[in-house]
C-alpha cells in the first residue's frame, strides 16, 4: 500500500510547489491577496471602532466599510482573473 500512496504525495508536493511559485512570481495574485487582507482589516476596524448608533437612533459609519468592501471585492476579482489566466495557459499548453 505504501507504494501506491507515494505518487499521490509526490503529486501533492508538486502542486504545492507550483502554488508557492505562483504566489511569489505572479504580481496579480499577490495584489489580490493583499487587497483581500486590506479589505478584511478595514471591515474589522469599522466594526470595532467607528460604527455606532447616535442618540437619534441613526447608524453612523465611517469610510472604512465601503473601502473594505471595495478592497475585498477587488481582491477576489484579481484572484479570479489570475486563476482563469492560469487555467487558460494550462489548456493552451495541453493542446
Amino acid at each position: 500500500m505504501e507504494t501506491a500512496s507515494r505518487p499521490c504525495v509526490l503529486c501533492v508536493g508538486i502542486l504545492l510547489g507550483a502554488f508557492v511559485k505562483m504566489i511569489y512570481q505572479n504580481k496579480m495574485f499577490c495584489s489580490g491577496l493583499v487587497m483581500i487582507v486590506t479589505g478584511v482589516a478595514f471591515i474589522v476596524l469599522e466594526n470595532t471602532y467607528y460604527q455606532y448608533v447616535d442618540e437619534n437612533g441613526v447608524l453612523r459609519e465611517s469610510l472604512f466599510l465601503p473601502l473594505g468592501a471595495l478592497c475585498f471585492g477587488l481582491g477576489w476579482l484579481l484572484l479570479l482573473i489570475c486563476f482563469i489566466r492560469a487555467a487558460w495557459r494550462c489548456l493552451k499548453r495541453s493542446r
Side-chain angles (χ1 to χ4, degrees), residues 73-88:
L74 284 176
W76 279 109
L77 182 66
L78 286 173
L79 287 181
L80 179 68
I81 291 170
C82 181
F83 284 123
I84 289 172
R85 287 176 60 194
W88 182 260

Side-chain angles (χ1 to χ4, degrees), residues 16-27 29-30 33:
L16 284 176
F19 183 70
V20 169
K21 183 179 176 184
M22 184 177 72
I23 289 174
Y24 286 118
Q25 289 183 347
N26 195 338
K27 292 178 186 176
F29 189 82
C30 289
L33 288 179

Side-chain angles (χ1 to χ4, degrees), residues 23-81:
I23 289 174
Y24 286 118
Q25 289 183 347
N26 195 338
K27 292 178 186 176
M28 185 180 293
F29 189 82
C30 289
S31 298
L33 288 179
V34 168
M35 292 291 282
I36 289 173
V37 170
T38 304
V40 168
F42 280 163
I43 291 171
V44 168
L45 277 172
E46 166 72 27
N47 288 331
T48 304
Y49 297 110
Y50 296 107
Q51 190 176 32
Y52 66 95
V53 178
D54 66 2
E55 61 276 353
N56 295 328
V58 177
L59 178 65
R60 299 293 179 173
E61 295 178 341
S62 70
L63 197 55
F64 282 120
L65 186 64
L67 282 177
L70 181 69
C71 288
F72 191 75
L74 284 176
W76 279 109
L77 182 66
L78 286 173
L79 287 181
L80 179 68
I81 291 170

